[in-house]
Structures are given as C-alpha cells and as structure tokens.
Amino acid sequence: MRSAAARWADILYEARDGVREQVPPRAEAALTLAFRRAEESYVELEIALRDCAEHRDPAL
C-alpha cells in the first residue's frame, strides 16, 4: 500500500509540473488545489500506515 501511495504521489507531481503554465489561470488554480488535497491525502495515508504498523498485534 505504501508503494502504491508513493507512486501516486510521483504521478501527481509529474502531472502538476506537466500542466503548469499550459492552462488558463482559473484552471491552474483549480489544479493546484486538487494537487494540494491529493498531497494531504497522501500524508494522511502515510500516518495511518505508520500507526497500523506501530499497533500491530505481535501475537498475530
């Protein structure tokens, strides 16, 4: 899951860099917001994965 999240983050960064300055200002602002939200979701996923790893039941 962590690997997929990292790949998704890489895709988002590449897409953001690929469209900058190629779209109208309103579209660029909307894309910037969408990328920011995706990045926040990625960070939340990393936190959740870390928490799951820390609280894993050693008996399982």
Side-chain angles (χ1 to χ4, degrees):
M1 194 175 215
R2 181 169 282 147
S3 175
R7 283 194 313 264
W8 178 242
D10 290 342
I11 290 167
L12 289 173
Y13 286 125
E14 289 175 21
R16 181 182 59 189
D17 292 343
V19 298
R20 270 194 181 167
E21 300 175 12
Q22 296 180 15
V23 295
R26 283 181 58 180
E28 183 178 358
L31 287 170
T32 298
L33 181 59
F35 290 129
R36 186 175 301 132
R37 287 178 178 158
E39 184 176 32
E40 289 170 355
S41 294
Y42 171 74
V43 170
E44 290 171 7
L45 177 61
E46 284 289 319
I47 292 167
L49 290 172
R50 184 189 67 223
D51 289 349
C52 287
E54 288 175 0
H55 298 322
R56 204 176 285 161
D57 186 355
L60 295 177

